[in-house]
Amino acid sequence: GLSNFWPVLHINKKTTNARHINISFLLKIPTFIASSILFSSLSHCIPVVFMGSEKYPSENGFDAFLKKHGGSDNASTDCERTIFQFDVQRKSFKEALDRWAQFFICPLMIRDAIDREVEAVDSEYQLAKPSDSHRKEMLFGSLAKPGHPMGKFCWGNAQTLKQEPKKKKINVYKRLRAFWKKHYSAHYMTLAVQSKEKLDTLEEWVREIFSKVPNNGLPKPDFSDMPEPFDTPAFNKLYRVVPVRKVHALNITWALPPQEKYYRVKPLHYISWLIGHEGTGSILSVLRKKCWALALFGGNSETGFDQNTTYSIFSISITLTDEGFQNFYQVTHLVFQYLKMLQLLGPQQRIYEEIQKIEANEFHYQEQIDPIEYVEDICENMQLFPKEDFLTGDQLMFEYNADVISAALSLLTPEKANLMLLSPEHEGQCPLREKWFGTQYSMQDIQQEWMESWTGNLELNSDLHLPAENKFIATDFTLKPSDCPDTEFPVRIADSDRGCLWYRKDNKFKIPKAYIRFHLISPVIQQSAKNVVLFDLLVNILGHNLAEPAYEAEVAQLEYKLVAGEHGLVIKVKGFNHKLLLLFHLIIDHLADFSASPDVFSMFTEQLKKTYFNILIKPEKLGKDVRLLILEHSRWSMVEKYQALTAGLTSDELMAFSQHFRAELYAEGLVQGNFSSTESLQFLQYVTDKLQFSKLPAEVPVMFRVVELPLKHHICKVKSLNKGDANSEVTVYYQVDTIVVFQMHMEEPCFDFLRTKETLGYHVYPTCRNTSGVLGFSVTVETQATKFNTELVELKIEEFLASFEEKLNALTEEAFKTQVTALVKLKECEDTHLGEEVDRNWSEVVTQQYVFDRLNREIEALKQMTRAELVSWFQEHRGQNSRKLSVHVKGEEDKEEDLSGSAYGEVSKLTFLPASPKMAGAIAIMDIPAFTKGLPLFPYHKILE
């Protein structure tokens, strides 16, 4: 590699898709180095380097080039690192690499582009403001010692990047260029390149292209003189916080010395494995039995906020029930009892070696991840580990060291802990406000009697103990021989009036793993909003009942997921096939013997109210709910579900529903991977034998019927249900037969027009939509009501679509063919792992379409398509001949926050708003049932042959 500049890793992988080059470029310390609020904010403006270079001056040229050649790119900032990555088709790799490298050699960084990027940064900040996790981080960072980088504003907004610099006569443009010159230096950088090109060729190209990246020779930033940033009186306190969502949560956090140097031992991983255990004898097991907690996570996320060169966080986060919130000191007491037990027993080599074995099995038989993620991981590892551990340093536990683990454990004491308690119940009791996100909080001493009990002679709890040996760890990794002819697609190997099973043996990836999926279809779910809610409760409580007995399977790298589908229960199981049947039996047994005590029922009823509320206050979720409520006939909206839940339900009603649900079913399954067809039949057999259900009296459709929109423009505008949130969303939807290549043509111009030039919002995207088999396309913009009203945003979307029509008319045959070829190449990409193939096949099964060769058919259709067809299609579905639906979710316009009354809005009903006179010709929908009542319905979308 370029030893005078930075470490370079070239990867040549035989299984990697031949058509793509994946590259990641990581830059050390452009963020943490920040010496002021302005500089901390500047790090978020760094994507401006992508807006043209001296060699390739076109502002959106790189994105346009990538889209043309089937590629993508991204960049992200963290506390001590910024990472850039892209992928592109192999034939265009060298040119893309050269275009990309120029951003680090001689970016233009045009003043006007920087001003517009500030608006994008501000929009990103506004979108982040309602996020409790971001709010919690900012509050936590504010507890750091004065002058430490963690106490700085790490987001950036219009105030720090535009208004304050203007007042102080600071030239942001000059500061940004100085920032780039100082920190974008070759000796801070690492580079990872993955391709099927020969390694010598890759090295030659990298030397040729990257040797001009400047090296300023300045000493690398060093934060070793900033240890223990949270060793302050403000840290070891109880902070009560008012969250945005309705949730009770307790966070117990310690700031430890940096632990990265112990990566070969991974002491925090060992401790978090025990703290976060959910089996018998664990903290969560005891809390669940008391109905005090729903979930617990412990450890270090390894983000820059949690782990950097000045400290490492160890945090225990517990989602509490209403009763758990009332007893949060007792919950904390239980955590300290468990920690004392671990400290007294000391590190356990048996447990460490068990974790080590599980991690080694997963590493040895891991499925290939998306190549762009792979190079990103490797590139970051090159900043953290020595060369011999680039590929394994973040995954394996190399050596047991009791002293290192004991040292970390000894630091997890009550005296050094920070308690943060989040609850809506704190409203009106929190006089303090965090500066940047406005989080309401209070700070108080931990009650002396509790602190004395924790730090004195703390008695152990007999209900707490270490986990037993794990019976789910796989030991047989034999690849099974085929017992039937190999097929390219799944085949139906069992079929009856009670269910069917699709099967495909994996002979491509050749790993000892399998995927099991079942859809238990029932007619009772969609009979009423109440039934939909009861079904949600059933699935949530089933998951709760399974959590403890199935946890050992989860830590042994077997995964399961229960999904409350629109028309049935979806069960997904995957992992090493050796013990997979054990886990599947466990799930079906618990479904057959489903029960819910009154306490558990009450706990989950309250939690589901919070879940529905938390969904409804998000503009993007509310917009989707409104759009689908209009389009899908007989759908129950989230608001109707919330109303049914708050009206009151009983545990007897839930038990009656569960029996009704299990009485009549159709079970459809898919088995793929390392099972023979004979073994696969056991899964369907067990479902039918154990659940003992009758056949359905009539076929149950697995999709809704869809309303045919009138040939007019209708607009449904509703008020956001999140009180005080300025975020709005506008989606303009056209009900048309969609051409996928159209979206690919539109993505880059849409981003350029609506985000880069008009700066309407951070999230801007076109989408091809399949609504229960009826196609359409939409353009969505997430914006803020304090900056733009939703009508203006829609008019800008229409302005973009008009300009896009001109672009299409001017599109040359050559450019069209290049784009189509790029899309064909994308669709021809080999699957990187078995899960991708399974997802595609399962989509056909769960929708009962069974077009397993859909991808091949799409490729053939694309190859036949002409430019004239694309242009005429777009023109045909625009203007007066369009079935157009606009959905606006309007945020709050008032910049001054309303401090009167509750911060939590009412979500049990929608507030419909009239259309503005600006929307000439648009018909407002003020009553959704009245609008859809007389409209024709498309037939159920089902392929009969």
Side-chain angles (χ1 to χ4, degrees):
L2 301 172
S3 56
N4 293 332
F5 292 85
W6 63 77
V8 181
L9 185 65
H10 309 99
I11 308 165
N12 179 288
K13 299 196 77 174
K14 291 180 181 176
T15 54
T16 299
N17 193 297
R19 299 174 190 87
H20 275 70
I21 170 67
N22 307 281
I23 181 159
S24 193
F25 195 46
L26 201 147
L27 190 63
K28 180 78 170 173
I29 324 208
T31 322
F32 217 23
I33 189 70
S35 58
S36 67
I37 286 173
L38 172 65
F39 264 27
S40 201
S41 302
L42 281 177
S43 66
H44 284 266
C45 283
I46 289 307
V48 81
V49 301
F50 277 164
M51 294 181 171
S53 63
E54 289 179 13
K55 187 173 180 181
Y56 302 101
S58 174
E59 186 177 295
N60 243 44
F62 185 60
D63 275 349
F65 179 84
L66 290 181
K67 286 285 182 290
K68 186 177 177 182
H69 299 286
S72 64
D73 65 334
N74 204 356
S76 58
T77 56
D78 207 336
C79 290
E80 293 184 298
R81 285 176 283 278
T82 292
I83 192 158
F84 301 85
Q85 72 265 6
F86 78 85
D87 65 359
V88 74
Q89 288 167 9
R90 181 178 169 188
K91 66 175 184 175
S92 305
F93 163 53
K94 189 177 181 185
E95 183 179 347
L97 194 60
D98 185 50
R99 286 173 173 269
W100 194 63
Q102 295 304 313
F103 297 137
F104 308 102
I105 296 169
C106 51
L108 289 180
M109 298 173 74
I110 301 165
R111 285 177 190 268
D112 178 53
I114 291 168
D115 290 341
R116 283 183 273 113
E117 192 60 29
V118 166
E119 293 300 325
V121 169
D122 186 71
S123 181
E124 185 183 17
Y125 159 72
Q126 298 293 343
L127 288 170
K129 279 183 77 174
S131 163
D132 283 322
S133 61
H134 294 320
R135 294 164 81 89
K136 194 170 62 179
E137 278 192 358
M138 281 304 304
L139 177 57
F140 190 87
S142 71
L143 308 182
K145 291 176 182 175
H148 192 278
M150 289 314 298
K152 298 185 184 302
F153 179 43
C154 59
W155 278 87
N157 61 13
Q159 180 185 339
T160 59
L161 290 165
K162 185 186 269 185
Q163 295 153 15
E164 287 185 8
K166 193 173 181 180
K167 281 181 191 173
K168 296 174 182 178
K169 298 184 178 178
I170 295 171
N171 188 320
V172 175
Y173 175 73
K174 284 185 178 178
R175 287 283 185 98
L176 188 63
R177 290 208 72 98
F179 185 91
W180 178 86
K181 191 172 182 179
K182 183 175 181 181
H183 301 298
Y184 275 52
S185 177
H187 66 311
Y188 297 163
M189 300 176 179
T190 51
L191 174 68
V193 179
Q194 177 173 312
S195 174
K196 277 196 168 181
E197 301 290 348
K198 292 179 180 178
L199 290 178
D200 286 348
T201 303
L202 287 179
E203 182 171 344
E204 180 187 326
W205 288 355
V206 168
R207 283 181 179 277
E208 174 191 334
I209 291 168
F210 283 89
S211 60
K212 293 175 184 174
V213 174
N215 184 342
N216 60 30
L218 295 173
K220 292 186 180 182
D222 179 13
F223 299 102
S224 59
D225 61 341
M226 294 185 173
E228 301 182 333
F230 295 103
D231 183 17
T232 66
F235 189 76
N236 184 219
K237 301 282 186 184
L238 167 64
Y239 286 83
R240 294 179 182 268
V241 178
V242 181
V244 174
R245 297 178 304 137
K246 286 197 173 177
V247 64
H248 302 302
L250 172 64
N251 292 283
I252 307 171
T253 308
W254 294 264
L256 312 180
Q259 299 289 306
E260 281 183 347
K261 60 184 175 183
Y262 302 121
Y263 76 92
R264 294 188 67 80
V265 181
K266 295 186 173 60
L268 298 190
H269 184 59
Y270 169 84
I271 298 168
S272 68
W273 195 89
L274 289 169
I275 294 286
H277 205 279
E278 298 181 22
T280 307
S282 67
I283 299 170
L284 187 57
S285 172
V286 175
L287 291 175
R288 278 178 170 151
K289 285 181 174 66
K290 291 176 178 285
C291 289
W292 284 0
L294 296 158
L296 182 152
F297 302 96
N300 181 295
S301 68
E302 297 183 4
T303 61
F305 185 90
D306 268 19
Q307 184 148 291
N308 53 61
T309 55
T310 73
Y311 69 87
S312 289
I313 287 292
F314 190 89
S315 185
I316 300 172
S317 179
I318 306 170
T319 304
L320 301 171
T321 62
D322 291 354
E323 195 174 342
F325 167 68
Q326 298 300 331
N327 293 282
F328 83 91
Y329 269 124
Q330 287 90 333
V331 173
T332 310
H333 187 77
L334 194 74
V335 170
F336 288 136
Q337 285 179 314
Y338 192 87
L339 282 169
K340 184 171 182 181
M341 179 192 76
L342 294 184
Q343 289 159 353
L344 290 174
L345 291 174
Q348 303 290 302
Q349 190 162 355
R350 170 190 70 82
I351 292 175
Y352 188 93
E353 288 175 353
E354 188 174 278
I355 306 168
Q356 201 173 31
K357 184 178 181 181
I358 290 168
E359 305 283 0
N361 283 348
E362 182 58 23
F363 180 80
H364 188 70
Y365 296 105
Q366 67 183 305
E367 295 185 70
Q368 196 176 12
I369 63 171
D370 187 335
I372 201 163
E373 289 180 41
Y374 186 69
V375 290
E376 182 179 349
D377 290 345
I378 297 300
C379 199
E380 188 162 7
N381 287 355
M382 292 165 70
Q383 297 265 351
L384 301 173
F385 311 123
K387 184 165 38 175
E388 61 272 17
D389 295 329
F390 282 173
L391 305 183
T392 56
D394 60 335
Q395 296 186 60
L396 296 183
M397 298 173 76
F398 298 90
E399 56 197 44
Y400 173 71
N401 187 319
D403 291 341
V404 169
I405 297 169
S406 293
L409 259 176
S410 69
L411 297 171
L412 304 180
T413 62
E415 301 95 322
K416 295 184 178 181
N418 171 274
L419 304 188
M420 197 173 282
L421 184 65
L422 287 77
S423 173
E425 300 294 321
H426 292 149
E427 197 174 26
Q429 305 168 32
C430 296
L432 304 175
R433 295 175 79 80
E434 190 276 321
K435 178 179 179 180
W436 298 106
F437 281 63
T439 306
Q440 297 176 48
Y441 71 98
S442 70
M443 179 183 77
Q444 58 195 76
D445 291 331
I446 295 166
Q447 285 184 11
Q448 189 174 354
E449 61 183 284
W450 283 106
M451 184 57 81
E452 287 174 357
S453 72
W454 300 335
T455 55
N457 188 22
L458 181 62
E459 289 186 19
L460 298 185
N461 188 322
S462 59
D463 292 330
L464 298 171
H465 57 78
L466 295 175
E469 190 173 345
N470 193 330
K471 66 181 180 182
F472 283 96
I473 298 176
T475 55
D476 181 1
F477 304 106
T478 309
L479 294 179
K480 306 284 181 75
S482 297
D483 62 350
C484 61
D486 288 347
T487 57
E488 186 180 358
F489 303 110
V491 293
R492 192 158 19 199
I493 59 171
D495 193 10
S496 74
D497 55 9
R498 291 203 297 158
C500 69
L501 184 70
W502 296 88
Y503 166 78
R504 182 167 186 261
K505 173 79 170 70
D506 169 49
N507 287 313
K508 177 182 178 182
F509 295 95
K510 298 181 179 176
I511 53 171
K513 294 183 178 181
Y515 288 72
I516 317 300
R517 303 215 173 152
F518 269 84
H519 190 197
L520 306 183
I521 302 165
S522 166
V524 304
I525 299 168
Q526 290 294 333
Q527 286 175 359
S528 66
K530 181 178 178 179
N531 276 13
V532 177
V533 174
L534 288 168
F535 184 50
D536 281 348
L537 280 169
L538 184 151
V539 175
N540 284 344
I541 295 173
L542 176 60
H544 169 79
N545 295 345
L546 273 166
E548 187 170 312
Y551 185 73
E552 285 188 340
E554 281 197 276
V555 298
Q557 307 293 352
L558 305 184
E559 297 178 33
Y560 73 95
K561 188 175 184 181
L562 307 174
V563 181
E566 303 282 7
H567 306 279
L569 172 62
V570 176
I571 300 170
K572 298 181 178 183
V573 182
K574 71 173 183 176
F576 292 112
N577 57 277
H578 182 206
K579 302 291 179 78
L580 212 51
L581 192 58
L582 265 179
L583 176 58
F584 188 77
H585 283 186
L586 192 66
I587 295 169
I588 301 303
D589 290 349
H590 276 74
L591 177 59
D593 303 326
F594 178 80
S595 65
S597 69
D599 284 349
V600 169
F601 174 80
S602 175
M603 175 171 75
F604 275 93
T605 301
E606 288 307 310
Q607 186 60 27
L608 195 59
K609 284 179 190 173
K610 295 183 180 79
T611 300
Y612 288 168
F613 178 92
N614 295 336
I615 289 170
L616 285 166
I617 63 173
K618 294 181 179 177
E620 69 276 15
K621 299 286 188 184
L622 180 60
K624 177 183 178 182
D625 200 48
V626 169
R627 176 171 51 81
L628 293 181
L629 187 59
I630 294 170
L631 293 174
E632 293 184 330
H633 181 64
S634 299
R635 161 181 279 275
W636 301 101
S637 73
M638 189 61 71
V639 169
E640 289 169 312
K641 288 163 65 174
Y642 187 81
Q643 290 169 344
L645 184 56
T646 51
L649 298 171
T650 67
S651 56
D652 288 342
E653 286 177 308
L654 176 62
M655 293 310 299
F657 173 83
S658 73
Q659 290 167 7
H660 196 187
F661 170 77
R662 295 194 305 266
E664 296 175 340
L665 293 170
Y666 184 80
E668 188 159 24
L670 170 69
V671 177
Q672 270 197 252
N674 192 36
F675 279 119
S676 67
S677 63
T678 306
E679 290 170 322
S680 299
L681 289 169
Q682 297 175 69
F683 291 95
L684 179 61
Q685 191 69 47
Y686 198 79
V687 171
T688 53
D689 289 352
K690 188 71 182 180
L691 295 181
Q692 290 291 306
F693 53 85
S694 301
K695 69 174 184 177
L696 296 177
E699 185 179 358
V700 175
V702 293
M703 289 192 275
F704 294 101
R705 290 188 72 181
V706 177
V707 164
E708 184 178 15
L709 293 174
L711 285 168
K712 291 177 182 175
H713 177 200
H714 286 83
I715 177 170
C716 187
K717 183 177 179 181
V718 297
K719 190 176 179 181
S720 170
L721 299 177
N722 190 10
K723 188 177 177 183
D725 183 11
N727 289 302
S728 301
E729 187 192 71
V730 177
T731 294
V732 177
Y733 170 83
Y734 289 86
Q735 194 175 64
V736 294
D737 294 333
T738 309
I739 301 178
V740 180
V741 73
F742 160 77
Q743 181 184 345
M744 195 171 184
H745 275 286
M746 185 181 273
E747 280 176 349
E748 186 276 325
C750 179
F751 186 90
D752 184 45
F753 188 99
L754 297 173
R755 183 190 187 278
T756 305
K757 292 190 170 65
E758 296 292 339
T759 65
L760 294 177
Y762 188 74
H763 292 306
V764 170
Y765 52 92
T767 313
C768 289
R769 298 196 179 274
N770 183 333
T771 306
S772 289
V774 175
L775 303 181
F777 84 86
S778 66
V779 176
T780 298
V781 173
E782 293 178 22
T783 188
Q784 286 77 44
T786 48
K787 296 179 181 177
F788 304 102
N789 64 53
T790 57
E791 286 83 4
L792 174 67
V793 172
E794 170 149 353
L795 291 172
K796 288 294 181 183
I797 291 173
E798 284 303 318
E799 194 179 319
F800 158 67
L801 290 172
S803 71
F804 181 71
E805 185 173 347
E806 293 175 9
K807 282 182 183 289
L808 275 186
N809 288 328
L811 188 69
T812 65
E813 285 289 347
E814 184 183 358
F816 172 78
K817 285 176 182 175
T818 300
Q819 197 90 54
V820 169
T821 302
L823 184 54
V824 167
K825 295 286 187 188
L826 275 178
K827 288 182 175 291
E828 287 177 340
C829 282
E830 301 166 26
D831 295 316
T832 55
H833 57 87
L834 179 58
E836 287 186 353
E837 183 184 314
V838 173
D839 285 343
R840 196 166 54 249
N841 290 334
W842 179 242
S843 177
E844 298 297 331
V845 172
V846 80
T847 58
Q848 296 186 342
Q849 301 300 300
Y850 312 125
V851 187
F852 296 109
D853 65 340
R854 185 182 301 273
L855 206 52
N856 296 341
R857 294 185 185 210
E858 287 177 354
I859 289 168
E860 288 308 308
L862 276 170
K863 288 178 178 176
Q864 303 302 317
M865 195 178 164
T866 66
R867 174 193 163 280
E869 285 176 320
L870 176 64
V871 173
S872 65
W873 171 86
F874 187 75
Q875 290 172 341
E876 181 185 342
H877 293 99
R878 288 269 299 137
Q880 299 302 313
N881 297 320
S882 60
R883 304 181 189 277
K884 178 183 173 184
L885 171 66
S886 302
V887 177
H888 295 198
V889 178
K890 179 182 174 292
E892 290 216 5
E893 293 180 53
D894 293 336
K895 293 187 180 182
E896 294 299 320
E897 194 169 343
D898 179 11
L899 299 178
S900 63
S902 173
Y904 300 98
E906 177 56 59
V907 300
S908 60
K909 64 176 182 179
L910 293 175
T911 301
F912 292 89
L913 302 171
S916 161
K918 293 179 184 176
M919 306 303 297
I923 303 168
I925 299 173
M926 304 297 287
D927 181 334
I928 292 175
F931 169 68
T932 58
K933 188 176 180 181
L935 295 178
L937 301 175
F938 288 105
Y940 285 116
H941 185 77
K942 184 157 185 178
I943 296 168
L944 301 178
E945 62 174 273

